[in-house]
Amino acid sequence: MDNILSLHRDLANYTYRHGGYKAFNISDPKPRNIHKASVRDRLLHHALYRILYPFFDKTFISDSYSCRVGKGTHKAINRFRAFAYKASENHTKTVWILKCDIKKFFASIDQAVLIEITRDYIPNRDVQWLISQVVESFYSTRKGLGLPLGNLTSQLLVNVYMNKFDQFVKHKLKARYYIRYADDFVILSEDRKWLKSVLLRISYFLWSNLRLQLHPSKTFIQTVASGVDFLGWVYFPDHRVLRTMTKRRMFRGIKRKRGNMATVQSYFGLMSHGNTKKLQQEIDEILREKPAILY
């Protein structure tokens, strides 16, 4: 309680200063650098998030799925399937997919641009000051750049940042079939030439307005029929299968935690969202194997 009252006094007197971070790495599956704030600062993050999230969430488009209540990856992949079905008119027409990924997303967020965007929504100077304290408490490659992956506020603020892009895609590009999950997004259309033209406009908008760049090796246009890799699944017109890397990671996890049925059941839950009957049989065989005895 003494610490909470101290935090309250610092906020009331405008003497609050965000502390440093403890950095550590995880593999999820690719290496990620996580920055963890102190308990005092995390308490503030939760307070900010609790007030700001309901307000900002109302401004987001319905097809933004990352870190939102009632959304998530499963809703996004089901939406992708529904869009592919509609755009192809029940798979009777060829549908093209523009799939994009933003290069070094969290590390590239321009803090000045982000703060300016939040000020367009929030006239209260006290709240503006507090958001600035949190945003400017961290930087990636240089001051004024990046958000920490470990902050709860970062999950909300990147959606606020990208909402400007979402509105551009929906209202300026008039993209009917658009889905975004964090820095991954897709646009479906039966017109390949149109997708090529909007790709140039997307690239220009991201850089000129948000100082973001598309990942050159993860941006492409292809047909649904050729198999589209999106959010851990590879999509085909009539089915979807787990990405090869996802399967390998899952098998390693099951072999390592064979006795942990909660882990196994979570994997079966994941597989229930696609065509994985053969995969489930392989896992059943692994579970029936006797573990090696170490001497």
Side-chain angles (χ1 to χ4, degrees), residues 222-248:
Q222 66 180 77
T223 62
V224 175
S226 63
V228 179
D229 189 334
F230 184 53
L231 300 180
W233 294 85
V234 180
Y235 297 81
F236 296 93
D238 56 351
H239 69 288
R240 62 187 174 210
V241 296
L242 275 174
R243 182 191 296 161
T244 301
M245 286 299 295
T246 305
K247 286 191 288 187
R248 289 175 182 170

Side-chain angles (χ1 to χ4, degrees), residues 82-260:
F83 276 174
Y85 193 75
K86 286 182 180 180
S88 65
E89 296 183 10
N90 303 346
H91 303 306
T92 60
K93 293 183 177 181
T94 299
V95 172
W96 296 86
I97 310 289
L98 168 61
K99 183 181 181 300
C100 301
D101 183 284
I102 295 172
K103 186 178 180 182
K104 297 180 180 178
F105 181 46
F106 273 81
S108 301
I109 300 293
D110 188 299
Q111 294 175 3
V113 173
L114 172 59
I115 290 170
E116 190 60 35
I117 290 173
T118 61
R119 285 176 178 170
D120 289 341
Y121 289 95
I122 302 172
N124 186 287
R125 291 188 178 183
D126 289 348
V127 179
Q128 290 178 7
W129 171 77
L130 199 50
I131 291 173
S132 296
Q133 285 292 320
V134 174
V135 170
E136 294 171 355
S137 67
F138 170 88
Y139 66 90
S140 53
T141 54
R142 61 172 174 80
K143 281 197 171 184
L145 204 65
L147 289 178
L149 271 169
N151 279 9
L152 178 63
T153 50
S154 296
Q155 299 175 8
L156 171 61
L157 290 174
V158 293
N159 274 336
V160 174
Y161 199 73
M162 289 298 291
N163 185 49
K164 192 169 184 178
F165 173 70
D166 294 339
Q167 300 297 334
F168 166 75
V169 172
K170 295 300 293 183
H171 300 298
K172 297 297 183 182
L173 299 183
K174 306 291 185 182
R176 186 179 178 187
Y177 304 116
Y178 165 73
I179 299 171
R180 183 179 63 82
Y181 188 95
D183 60 329
D184 288 343
F185 59 91
V186 293
I187 301 176
L188 294 79
S189 174
E190 54 184 280
D191 188 342
R192 187 174 186 271
K193 289 183 179 179
W194 179 76
L195 288 177
K196 288 185 71 175
S197 68
V198 299
L199 175 56
L200 295 174
R201 295 178 66 185
I202 284 170
S203 182
Y204 178 78
F205 181 91
L206 285 171
W207 179 249
S208 60
N209 290 272
L210 301 174
R211 313 310 290 174
L212 297 174
Q213 292 179 291
L214 294 176
H215 199 301
S217 63
K218 295 181 180 179
T219 298
F220 52 82
I221 298 174
Q222 66 180 77
T223 62
V224 175
S226 63
V228 179
D229 189 334
F230 184 53
L231 300 180
W233 294 85
V234 180
Y235 297 81
F236 296 93
D238 56 351
H239 69 288
R240 62 187 174 210
V241 296
L242 275 174
R243 182 191 296 161
T244 301
M245 286 299 295
T246 305
K247 286 191 288 187
R248 289 175 182 170
R249 189 168 73 254
M250 183 174 64
F251 279 126
R252 286 197 300 268
I254 289 173
K255 288 178 180 179
R256 189 172 61 250
K257 300 180 180 180
R258 190 176 309 189
N260 188 337

